[in-house]
Amino acid sequence: MTDSHPERSAGEREDELDAKLAALRSILLNLGSVVVAYSGGVDSTFLLRVVTDTQGLEHLAVTTDSPTNTAEEIEQARELARAFGARHLVVAVNELDTPGYAENPAHRCYLCKQTLYPLCLRTARKQGMGHVIDGVNVDDLGDYRPGLDAARELKIRHPLVEAGLTKRDVRDLSARFSLPTAEMPASPCLSSRFPYGTRITPERLEQVARAEAAVRRLGFVELRVRHLGEGARVEIAAAEISRLDEHDMMRRIEVAVRGVGFGSVDVSRRPLRSGSLNDAVLSENDRRRTGAQGSDPPPS
């Protein structure tokens, strides 16, 4: 989200962040005891940092170790939780066992959260904790996120939303706390690399992880390898896309991705746009709201 008040001074911006941080601390303290659904990403890491810094708040962080995440992401979550002095539990799960998930319908994230949130709720009950909280921020409310429906049904709290914190706020406050995640690219689960309707399997998830690791070894930081069945599409972030013009770089990327078993590789000249696979779903929702007629949209 861009700053809607660019004329504000640095001091006014800091005052705004101070007020939101104070509101967040107050919300958390009033909850008394919380289980934090903690992925190790930008938002949940910031939330856990504030939770551990709020005296009088009992807490437990829960991270799920699944085929949809990489081993590196789980290890980073462990390291950060340890650095914060957080109570931390890592639980092995497999969303692919959830009926319907592997078929990758448009409400896949709902199915996922209907698996992961109840795990956190059961843990909260066993530990005597009063609430389950997650790192959803204000900007997340504007995207297609069926997982939010599961959160509402299960009464999961979103303290960052309640305190009015945007993604930019979270990153700015993370930088204030010197968190290594402050500038970390968004890293949604590996299932997000599959257009809706493309079947998800453990082998395909591993293939995506290996392909992205191979491209990172070429020096890229933020990217996605979209799994298109037999082929793949590689998308590079705008800040790095000019590197595609370096000598032989397109071929090197193609060779790297083919090396993990993809039959064809398209290196996109369009910059990576997070959430782009939701476009067809959002367009269909708009069509339904306006009553327009037409066939169902194909997966992105």
Side-chain angles (χ1 to χ4, degrees), residues 62 110-126 132 150-151 154 156:
V62 174
Y110 175 85
L111 299 176
C112 172
K113 297 304 185 184
Q114 281 287 2
T115 299
L116 303 186
Y117 283 144
L119 184 154
C120 291
L121 288 166
R122 291 193 297 271
T123 301
R125 284 195 296 271
K126 290 179 182 177
V132 173
L154 296 169
I156 306 301

Side-chain angles (χ1 to χ4, degrees), residues 62-76:
V62 174
T63 301
T64 54
D65 185 354
S66 101
T68 67
N69 300 109
T70 67
E72 292 77 13
E73 289 168 339
I74 299 302
E75 183 55 32
Q76 175 175 277

